[in-house]
Amino acid sequence: GQAYKVGANLLVIMAFGQLINLATGSVGALQIVLGYRKQLVIITLMSLVITVFLNWWWIPVWGVTGAAVGNMIGILISNLAGLTVIRKMTGLWPYDRRYRKGLVAALLTFLPLASLATFFSSGIWSLVIAGLAACIVFPFALWRLGFDQEDQQFLAAIRQRLGF
């Protein structure tokens, strides 16, 4: 209903922040393991100050949406700064050109899902249809973009496990 629309938007913003967190991995833990605790503390404090400032600035203007966006930006800054420190100190970088294929497939999946959202109201059936569409479009897009050797090994392991 109407009372939940604001909450739905907040959930999307905060979920995007957690998607960033997921995509960057355990950057803080890796900094600790590699002995870069001082850099982690500096990054954490910098992120805290930025988050508090953005919340102070945006909450009076946007309300809870300002808080969600401010927190999401704090997560983004913290994780990207952590990745940058690790790259500078060790030369390690978790991404290569193969990640672009997954991003393209995700975008190609998002487009039909966004158009489906205009045709269906909220409810369990819209969720089921969107889930089925995503489970069909994403693998199809990956297949059309071409599987890497690791993808082929993964599929072979699944086929073997299922007995195909």
PDB file of all heavy atoms in Angstrom, residues 17-29:
ATOM      1  N   GLY A  17      23.610  -0.121  -1.452  1.00  0.00           N
ATOM      2  CA  GLY A  17      24.796   0.029  -0.605  1.00  0.00           C
ATOM      3  C   GLY A  17      25.376  -1.319  -0.216  1.00  0.00           C
ATOM      4  O   GLY A  17      26.592  -1.517  -0.233  1.00  0.00           O
ATOM      5  N   GLN A  18      24.511  -2.265   0.113  1.00  0.00           N
ATOM      6  CA  GLN A  18      24.998  -3.596   0.470  1.00  0.00           C
ATOM      7  C   GLN A  18      25.512  -4.366  -0.761  1.00  0.00           C
ATOM      8  O   GLN A  18      26.406  -5.197  -0.639  1.00  0.00           O
ATOM      9  CB  GLN A  18      23.914  -4.384   1.201  1.00  0.00           C
ATOM     10  CG  GLN A  18      23.650  -3.872   2.592  1.00  0.00           C
ATOM     11  CD  GLN A  18      24.912  -3.751   3.422  1.00  0.00           C
ATOM     12  OE1 GLN A  18      25.707  -4.680   3.517  1.00  0.00           O
ATOM     13  NE2 GLN A  18      25.122  -2.584   4.022  1.00  0.00           N
ATOM     14  N   LEU A  19      24.962  -4.066  -1.929  1.00  0.00           N
ATOM     15  CA  LEU A  19      25.493  -4.652  -3.163  1.00  0.00           C
ATOM     16  C   LEU A  19      26.928  -4.177  -3.391  1.00  0.00           C
ATOM     17  O   LEU A  19      27.796  -4.967  -3.772  1.00  0.00           O
ATOM     18  CB  LEU A  19      24.606  -4.288  -4.348  1.00  0.00           C
ATOM     19  CG  LEU A  19      25.043  -4.824  -5.703  1.00  0.00           C
ATOM     20  CD1 LEU A  19      24.984  -6.344  -5.728  1.00  0.00           C
ATOM     21  CD2 LEU A  19      24.161  -4.245  -6.802  1.00  0.00           C
ATOM     22  N   ILE A  20      27.182  -2.907  -3.139  1.00  0.00           N
ATOM     23  CA  ILE A  20      28.546  -2.375  -3.228  1.00  0.00           C
ATOM     24  C   ILE A  20      29.436  -3.098  -2.224  1.00  0.00           C
ATOM     25  O   ILE A  20      30.554  -3.510  -2.541  1.00  0.00           O
ATOM     26  CB  ILE A  20      28.549  -0.861  -2.963  1.00  0.00           C
ATOM     27  CG1 ILE A  20      27.840  -0.117  -4.089  1.00  0.00           C
ATOM     28  CG2 ILE A  20      29.975  -0.337  -2.779  1.00  0.00           C
ATOM     29  CD1 ILE A  20      27.507   1.329  -3.754  1.00  0.00           C
ATOM     30  N   ASN A  21      28.935  -3.263  -1.012  1.00  0.00           N
ATOM     31  CA  ASN A  21      29.672  -3.961   0.033  1.00  0.00           C
ATOM     32  C   ASN A  21      29.992  -5.393  -0.404  1.00  0.00           C
ATOM     33  O   ASN A  21      31.115  -5.876  -0.232  1.00  0.00           O
ATOM     34  CB  ASN A  21      28.842  -3.957   1.320  1.00  0.00           C
ATOM     35  CG  ASN A  21      29.650  -4.267   2.542  1.00  0.00           C
ATOM     36  OD1 ASN A  21      30.857  -4.142   2.568  1.00  0.00           O
ATOM     37  ND2 ASN A  21      28.963  -4.672   3.585  1.00  0.00           N
ATOM     38  N   LEU A  22      29.031  -6.055  -0.978  1.00  0.00           N
ATOM     39  CA  LEU A  22      29.221  -7.420  -1.451  1.00  0.00           C
ATOM     40  C   LEU A  22      30.212  -7.475  -2.610  1.00  0.00           C
ATOM     41  O   LEU A  22      31.073  -8.351  -2.673  1.00  0.00           O
ATOM     42  CB  LEU A  22      27.873  -8.014  -1.880  1.00  0.00           C
ATOM     43  CG  LEU A  22      27.871  -9.425  -2.425  1.00  0.00           C
ATOM     44  CD1 LEU A  22      28.243 -10.416  -1.336  1.00  0.00           C
ATOM     45  CD2 LEU A  22      26.510  -9.756  -2.994  1.00  0.00           C
ATOM     46  N   ALA A  23      30.104  -6.527  -3.533  1.00  0.00           N
ATOM     47  CA  ALA A  23      30.963  -6.526  -4.719  1.00  0.00           C
ATOM     48  C   ALA A  23      32.424  -6.251  -4.391  1.00  0.00           C
ATOM     49  O   ALA A  23      33.313  -6.685  -5.125  1.00  0.00           O
ATOM     50  CB  ALA A  23      30.453  -5.495  -5.726  1.00  0.00           C
ATOM     51  N   THR A  24      32.675  -5.549  -3.300  1.00  0.00           N
ATOM     52  CA  THR A  24      34.060  -5.248  -2.943  1.00  0.00           C
ATOM     53  C   THR A  24      34.650  -6.284  -2.001  1.00  0.00           C
ATOM     54  O   THR A  24      35.857  -6.280  -1.753  1.00  0.00           O
ATOM     55  CB  THR A  24      34.170  -3.852  -2.292  1.00  0.00           C
ATOM     56  OG1 THR A  24      33.297  -3.796  -1.174  1.00  0.00           O
ATOM     57  CG2 THR A  24      33.843  -2.766  -3.280  1.00  0.00           C
ATOM     58  N   GLY A  25      33.845  -7.176  -1.485  1.00  0.00           N
ATOM     59  CA  GLY A  25      34.357  -8.243  -0.637  1.00  0.00           C
ATOM     60  C   GLY A  25      34.710  -7.763   0.755  1.00  0.00           C
ATOM     61  O   GLY A  25      34.363  -6.660   1.174  1.00  0.00           O
ATOM     62  N   SER A  26      35.452  -8.583   1.456  1.00  0.00           N
ATOM     63  CA  SER A  26      35.830  -8.296   2.848  1.00  0.00           C
ATOM     64  C   SER A  26      37.092  -7.449   2.876  1.00  0.00           C
ATOM     65  O   SER A  26      38.149  -7.872   3.333  1.00  0.00           O
ATOM     66  CB  SER A  26      36.049  -9.602   3.605  1.00  0.00           C
ATOM     67  OG  SER A  26      34.879 -10.367   3.593  1.00  0.00           O
ATOM     68  N   VAL A  27      36.974  -6.245   2.373  1.00  0.00           N
ATOM     69  CA  VAL A  27      38.125  -5.363   2.227  1.00  0.00           C
ATOM     70  C   VAL A  27      38.716  -4.995   3.585  1.00  0.00           C
ATOM     71  O   VAL A  27      39.933  -4.964   3.742  1.00  0.00           O
ATOM     72  CB  VAL A  27      37.696  -4.153   1.381  1.00  0.00           C
ATOM     73  CG1 VAL A  27      37.900  -2.840   2.011  1.00  0.00           C
ATOM     74  CG2 VAL A  27      38.350  -4.196   0.048  1.00  0.00           C
ATOM     75  N   GLY A  28      37.885  -4.730   4.565  1.00  0.00           N
ATOM     76  CA  GLY A  28      38.381  -4.380   5.896  1.00  0.00           C
ATOM     77  C   GLY A  28      39.143  -5.530   6.535  1.00  0.00           C
ATOM     78  O   GLY A  28      40.231  -5.338   7.087  1.00  0.00           O
ATOM     79  N   ALA A  29      38.587  -6.724   6.448  1.00  0.00           N
ATOM     80  CA  ALA A  29      39.267  -7.899   7.005  1.00  0.00           C
ATOM     81  C   ALA A  29      40.592  -8.153   6.294  1.00  0.00           C
ATOM     82  O   ALA A  29      41.593  -8.501   6.930  1.00  0.00           O
ATOM     83  CB  ALA A  29      38.361  -9.120   6.899  1.00  0.00           C
TER      84      ALA A  29
END
